[in-house]
mmCIF file of all heavy atoms in Angstrom:
data_model
loop_
_atom_site.group_PDB
_atom_site.id
_atom_site.type_symbol
_atom_site.label_atom_id
_atom_site.label_comp_id
_atom_site.label_asym_id
_atom_site.label_seq_id
_atom_site.Cartn_x
_atom_site.Cartn_y
_atom_site.Cartn_z
ATOM 1 N N ASP A 145 3.838 13.694 -38.906
ATOM 2 C CA ASP A 145 2.475 13.481 -38.396
ATOM 3 C C ASP A 145 1.651 12.745 -39.440
ATOM 4 O O ASP A 145 1.376 13.301 -40.518
ATOM 5 C CB ASP A 145 1.842 14.825 -38.057
ATOM 6 C CG ASP A 145 0.480 14.710 -37.420
ATOM 7 O OD1 ASP A 145 0.097 13.595 -37.026
ATOM 8 O OD2 ASP A 145 -0.215 15.741 -37.318
ATOM 9 N N PRO A 146 1.232 11.503 -39.171
ATOM 10 C CA PRO A 146 0.485 10.735 -40.183
ATOM 11 C C PRO A 146 -0.978 11.124 -40.248
ATOM 12 O O PRO A 146 -1.639 11.289 -39.232
ATOM 13 C CB PRO A 146 0.641 9.287 -39.701
ATOM 14 C CG PRO A 146 0.737 9.417 -38.199
ATOM 15 C CD PRO A 146 1.467 10.716 -37.938
ATOM 16 N N GLY A 147 -1.489 11.236 -41.458
ATOM 17 C CA GLY A 147 -2.907 11.443 -41.663
ATOM 18 C C GLY A 147 -3.565 10.104 -41.916
ATOM 19 O O GLY A 147 -3.142 9.361 -42.800
ATOM 20 N N GLU A 148 -4.584 9.768 -41.151
ATOM 21 C CA GLU A 148 -5.224 8.463 -41.299
ATOM 22 C C GLU A 148 -5.606 8.200 -42.757
ATOM 23 O O GLU A 148 -5.996 9.125 -43.461
ATOM 24 C CB GLU A 148 -6.462 8.388 -40.415
ATOM 25 C CG GLU A 148 -6.139 8.399 -38.930
ATOM 26 C CD GLU A 148 -7.382 8.265 -38.060
ATOM 27 O OE1 GLU A 148 -8.502 8.291 -38.620
ATOM 28 O OE2 GLU A 148 -7.236 8.127 -36.843
ATOM 29 N N PRO A 149 -5.462 6.955 -43.219
ATOM 30 C CA PRO A 149 -5.080 5.758 -42.467
ATOM 31 C C PRO A 149 -3.582 5.528 -42.339
ATOM 32 O O PRO A 149 -3.168 4.451 -41.935
ATOM 33 C CB PRO A 149 -5.728 4.645 -43.295
ATOM 34 C CG PRO A 149 -5.651 5.148 -44.702
ATOM 35 C CD PRO A 149 -5.892 6.635 -44.606
ATOM 36 N N ALA A 150 -2.760 6.495 -42.722
ATOM 37 C CA ALA A 150 -1.318 6.356 -42.511
ATOM 38 C C ALA A 150 -1.009 6.280 -41.016
ATOM 39 O O ALA A 150 -1.782 6.765 -40.189
ATOM 40 C CB ALA A 150 -0.579 7.545 -43.134
ATOM 41 N N THR A 151 0.097 5.629 -40.684
ATOM 42 C CA THR A 151 0.503 5.425 -39.292
ATOM 43 C C THR A 151 1.983 5.719 -39.149
ATOM 44 O O THR A 151 2.633 6.217 -40.072
ATOM 45 C CB THR A 151 0.252 3.973 -38.867
ATOM 46 O OG1 THR A 151 1.140 3.111 -39.601
ATOM 47 C CG2 THR A 151 -1.195 3.557 -39.123
ATOM 48 N N GLU A 154 4.314 4.496 -42.024
ATOM 49 C CA GLU A 154 4.577 5.425 -43.127
ATOM 50 C C GLU A 154 5.539 6.530 -42.680
ATOM 51 O O GLU A 154 6.386 6.986 -43.458
ATOM 52 C CB GLU A 154 3.280 6.020 -43.650
ATOM 53 C CG GLU A 154 2.414 5.066 -44.477
ATOM 54 C CD GLU A 154 1.741 3.982 -43.654
ATOM 55 O OE1 GLU A 154 1.489 4.224 -42.434
ATOM 56 O OE2 GLU A 154 1.446 2.916 -44.216
ATOM 57 N N LYS A 181 1.223 9.227 -32.185
ATOM 58 C CA LYS A 181 1.032 8.585 -33.486
ATOM 59 C C LYS A 181 2.226 8.723 -34.415
ATOM 60 O O LYS A 181 2.334 7.957 -35.384
ATOM 61 C CB LYS A 181 -0.212 9.191 -34.185
ATOM 62 C CG LYS A 181 -1.512 8.960 -33.457
ATOM 63 C CD LYS A 181 -2.651 9.609 -34.220
ATOM 64 C CE LYS A 181 -3.989 9.406 -33.506
ATOM 65 N NZ LYS A 181 -5.113 10.055 -34.241
ATOM 66 N N LYS A 222 -5.752 19.944 -43.572
ATOM 67 C CA LYS A 222 -6.120 18.549 -43.305
ATOM 68 C C LYS A 222 -6.640 17.829 -44.547
ATOM 69 O O LYS A 222 -6.467 16.610 -44.687
ATOM 70 C CB LYS A 222 -7.153 18.500 -42.187
ATOM 71 C CG LYS A 222 -6.587 18.822 -40.813
ATOM 72 C CD LYS A 222 -7.600 18.567 -39.720
ATOM 73 C CE LYS A 222 -6.984 18.808 -38.349
ATOM 74 N NZ LYS A 222 -7.935 18.542 -37.248
ATOM 75 N N ALA A 223 -7.269 18.562 -45.437
ATOM 76 C CA ALA A 223 -7.820 17.936 -46.637
ATOM 77 C C ALA A 223 -6.748 17.296 -47.494
ATOM 78 O O ALA A 223 -7.036 16.362 -48.267
ATOM 79 C CB ALA A 223 -8.593 18.980 -47.456
ATOM 80 N N GLN A 224 -5.501 17.778 -47.382
ATOM 81 C CA GLN A 224 -4.420 17.270 -48.203
ATOM 82 C C GLN A 224 -3.674 16.125 -47.522
ATOM 83 O O GLN A 224 -2.809 15.502 -48.140
ATOM 84 C CB GLN A 224 -3.415 18.391 -48.512
ATOM 85 C CG GLN A 224 -3.998 19.563 -49.252
ATOM 86 C CD GLN A 224 -2.954 20.631 -49.529
ATOM 87 O OE1 GLN A 224 -1.748 20.393 -49.458
ATOM 88 N NE2 GLN A 224 -3.409 21.840 -49.834
ATOM 89 N N ARG A 225 -4.012 15.813 -46.267
ATOM 90 C CA ARG A 225 -3.162 14.930 -45.482
ATOM 91 C C ARG A 225 -3.647 13.487 -45.395
ATOM 92 O O ARG A 225 -2.942 12.623 -44.859
ATOM 93 C CB ARG A 225 -3.027 15.504 -44.063
ATOM 94 C CG ARG A 225 -2.266 16.814 -44.041
ATOM 95 C CD ARG A 225 -2.435 17.560 -42.724
ATOM 96 N NE ARG A 225 -2.018 16.760 -41.585
ATOM 97 C CZ ARG A 225 -2.109 17.153 -40.314
ATOM 98 N NH1 ARG A 225 -2.593 18.358 -40.053
ATOM 99 N NH2 ARG A 225 -1.731 16.371 -39.335
ATOM 100 N N THR A 226 -4.804 13.181 -45.927
ATOM 101 C CA THR A 226 -5.347 11.828 -45.809
ATOM 102 C C THR A 226 -4.394 10.788 -46.404
ATOM 103 O O THR A 226 -4.011 10.883 -47.577
ATOM 104 C CB THR A 226 -6.705 11.729 -46.509
ATOM 105 O OG1 THR A 226 -7.600 12.679 -45.930
ATOM 106 C CG2 THR A 226 -7.296 10.331 -46.366
ATOM 107 N N GLY A 227 -3.973 9.842 -45.576
ATOM 108 C CA GLY A 227 -3.101 8.783 -46.039
ATOM 109 C C GLY A 227 -1.666 9.204 -46.285
ATOM 110 O O GLY A 227 -0.875 8.384 -46.793
ATOM 111 N N LYS A 228 -1.320 10.423 -45.936
ATOM 112 C CA LYS A 228 0.024 10.931 -46.174
ATOM 113 C C LYS A 228 0.685 11.353 -44.855
ATOM 114 O O LYS A 228 0.022 11.385 -43.805
ATOM 115 C CB LYS A 228 -0.006 12.102 -47.155
ATOM 116 C CG LYS A 228 -0.604 11.763 -48.510
ATOM 117 C CD LYS A 228 -0.568 12.948 -49.450
ATOM 118 C CE LYS A 228 -1.196 12.599 -50.791
ATOM 119 N NZ LYS A 228 -1.143 13.726 -51.753
ATOM 120 N N VAL A 229 1.941 11.681 -44.922
ATOM 121 C CA VAL A 229 2.672 12.124 -43.747
ATOM 122 C C VAL A 229 2.996 13.610 -43.901
ATOM 123 O O VAL A 229 3.618 14.028 -44.865
ATOM 124 C CB VAL A 229 3.979 11.321 -43.563
ATOM 125 C CG1 VAL A 229 4.806 11.902 -42.401
ATOM 126 C CG2 VAL A 229 3.667 9.846 -43.314
ATOM 127 N N LEU A 230 2.547 14.398 -42.933
ATOM 128 C CA LEU A 230 2.891 15.807 -42.873
ATOM 129 C C LEU A 230 4.265 15.965 -42.241
ATOM 130 O O LEU A 230 4.517 15.471 -41.136
ATOM 131 C CB LEU A 230 1.860 16.575 -42.044
ATOM 132 C CG LEU A 230 2.246 18.018 -41.677
ATOM 133 C CD1 LEU A 230 2.261 18.913 -42.910
ATOM 134 C CD2 LEU A 230 1.306 18.577 -40.613
ATOM 135 N N ARG A 251 -1.897 8.997 -23.052
ATOM 136 C CA ARG A 251 -2.659 8.023 -23.843
ATOM 137 C C ARG A 251 -3.349 7.065 -22.879
ATOM 138 O O ARG A 251 -3.267 7.218 -21.662
ATOM 139 C CB ARG A 251 -1.725 7.265 -24.786
ATOM 140 C CG ARG A 251 -0.793 8.138 -25.607
ATOM 141 C CD ARG A 251 -1.525 8.917 -26.668
ATOM 142 N NE ARG A 251 -1.988 8.062 -27.736
ATOM 143 C CZ ARG A 251 -2.715 8.471 -28.764
ATOM 144 N NH1 ARG A 251 -3.091 9.736 -28.838
ATOM 145 N NH2 ARG A 251 -3.108 7.625 -29.713
#
Side-chain angles (χ1 to χ4, degrees):
D145 185 12
E148 293 182 354
T151 67
E154 286 73 26
K181 297 179 181 180
K222 288 189 176 181
Q224 300 180 18
R225 293 165 57 182
T226 301
K228 300 182 181 182
V229 174
L230 169 68
R251 311 289 289 176

